[in-house]
Amino acid sequence: MKKPVFSGAGVAIITPMYEDGSINFDELGRIIEDQIARHTDAIIICGTTGECSTMTDEEQLAAIKFAVDTVNHRVPVIAGAGSNDTDHGCALAAKSAACGADALLMVTPYYNKTSQAGLVAHFTAMAEAGGIPVILYNVPSRTGLNIAPETALELSKHPLINGIKEASGNISQVAKVAALCGDALNIYSGNDDQVVPLLALGGKGVISVVSNVAPELVHNCCQAFFDGDTAKACALQLEMLPLEEALFCEVNPIPVKYAMNVLGWNAGECRLPLVEPSDAHKEKIEQALQAAGLIKE
């Protein structure tokens, strides 16, 4: 049995930026403090939501080190350290671990892709380079590559491969991963609209975009399930849906960064090629925040 890196709601945190596109570390620190105060169970830094794909390695490592130092062991810090170049991924994994991260989130190789055997070799090499627990990240809608359940089983045999962030949206596949891997691989939902279904399959929590704007809601949803109050967990999951729909009305993190600005954070804009949401989508995001009681009058 592998102890999970965290249980509950981990926030896939945004990276706030100044007008010139540089990282606003002061605001990142304020957001991290607010997340911890509002019961977030883990900080996931430099993931997709954190715009790691447009960061240099130096920026990414600086953000990871800043998060580690700011959090100071109060909750786990999980660092995005994936790549479609295994050598580059190994170097990034080692440096991220050296920054003090508690675990690494590693996405499947995108664009060049690989075979299932290649996935085993790729993740094994990067896990061993990092030397700390690894959460695999399966998001075929972005990468064009799926981690098959049988491959997840093979990877789960490695002592450092601790979990999988499942964002395939395929509940049947997640069920098969759970059946094959059992306690050897901790499952986290990568979709805010499927938290309770994955918890019901033995999942340990969610790596959440909605948690940026409503950390208590997502934490409480998970906690209610862990406490055996499935009716409350289901009610909170359904309460989350309008926010989830609004925050994914355009490609993540465009909507959530806009939402954070609306809520008074200095989140800044996304780096190109991501641009501002359309006016219609801005209105939808604002309406969802209003309906959820998040906009202070």
Side-chain angles (χ1 to χ4, degrees):
M1 178 178 180
K2 289 177 182 169
K3 181 182 177 183
V5 173
F6 75 96
S7 297
V11 61
I13 203 163
I14 65 160
T15 303
M17 293 173 184
Y18 291 110
E19 285 187 16
D20 65 1
S22 62
I23 297 173
N24 185 341
F25 285 103
D26 288 341
E27 195 69 352
L28 179 58
R30 285 191 284 271
I31 293 170
I32 289 171
E33 290 297 344
D34 182 71
Q35 286 286 323
I36 293 173
R38 293 164 68 188
H39 310 299
T40 281
D41 297 296
I43 304 289
I44 293 84
I45 186 82
C46 294
T48 305
T49 311
E51 298 179 77
C52 65
S53 57
T54 55
M55 287 184 184
T56 65
D57 284 2
E58 291 74 22
E59 287 176 316
Q60 193 164 336
L61 293 166
I64 293 166
K65 183 70 166 63
F66 179 86
V68 167
D69 291 346
T70 302
V71 171
N72 193 24
H73 306 292
R74 287 175 288 172
V75 297
V77 174
I78 296 132
S83 177
N84 65 339
D85 168 5
T86 306
D87 283 348
H88 178 218
C90 287
L92 196 56
K95 291 173 183 175
S96 300
C99 288
D102 296 288
L104 303 171
L105 181 66
M106 294 182 174
V107 71
T108 52
Y110 37 88
Y111 185 70
N112 52 354
K113 306 197 288 186
T114 186
S115 63
Q116 294 297 305
L119 282 178
V120 173
H122 175 75
F123 284 124
T124 299
M126 292 199 304
E128 291 177 356
I132 60 174
V134 166
I135 298 173
L136 309 172
Y137 182 14
N138 192 34
V139 58
S141 64
R142 283 187 180 268
T143 65
L145 181 62
N146 182 55
I147 302 175
E150 294 79 10
T151 305
L153 173 61
E154 187 62 30
L155 286 163
S156 74
K157 297 172 185 176
H158 195 287
L160 288 172
I161 296 179
N162 181 281
I164 186 168
K165 176 186 176 183
E166 249 297 343
S168 66
N170 185 338
I171 295 293
S172 297
Q173 172 168 293
V174 178
K176 190 166 184 183
V177 172
L180 288 174
C181 300
D183 289 336
L185 195 67
N186 298 296
I187 299 173
Y188 298 95
S189 178
N191 300 92
D192 282 294
D193 59 348
Q194 295 181 352
V195 180
V196 171
L198 265 71
L199 292 177
L201 289 169
K204 299 301 192 295
V206 58
I207 295 177
S208 170
V209 174
V210 172
S211 282
N212 280 280
V213 300
E216 299 103 330
L217 174 60
V218 189
H219 167 85
N220 290 344
C221 176
C222 294
Q223 193 59 53
F225 189 92
F226 297 149
D227 291 343
D229 192 344
T230 53
K232 180 180 178 182
C234 288
L236 293 174
Q237 171 75 91
L238 297 179
E239 184 181 330
M240 211 184 297
L241 285 181
L243 277 175
E244 188 273 339
E245 289 173 0
L247 294 183
F248 286 88
C249 65
E250 292 191 25
V251 68
N252 179 46
I254 289 172
V256 71
K257 217 162 187 191
Y258 178 76
M260 291 291 278
N261 283 315
V262 169
L263 294 178
W265 298 101
N266 294 316
E269 296 183 1
C270 295
R271 288 181 175 178
L272 289 171
L274 304 184
V275 295
E276 285 270 287
S278 69
D279 288 343
H281 285 152
K282 285 180 179 178
E283 184 177 353
K284 179 174 183 173
I285 294 162
E286 290 169 20
Q287 288 175 347
L289 295 173
Q290 188 83 49
L294 296 173
I295 295 178
K296 306 293 187 284
E297 296 295 341

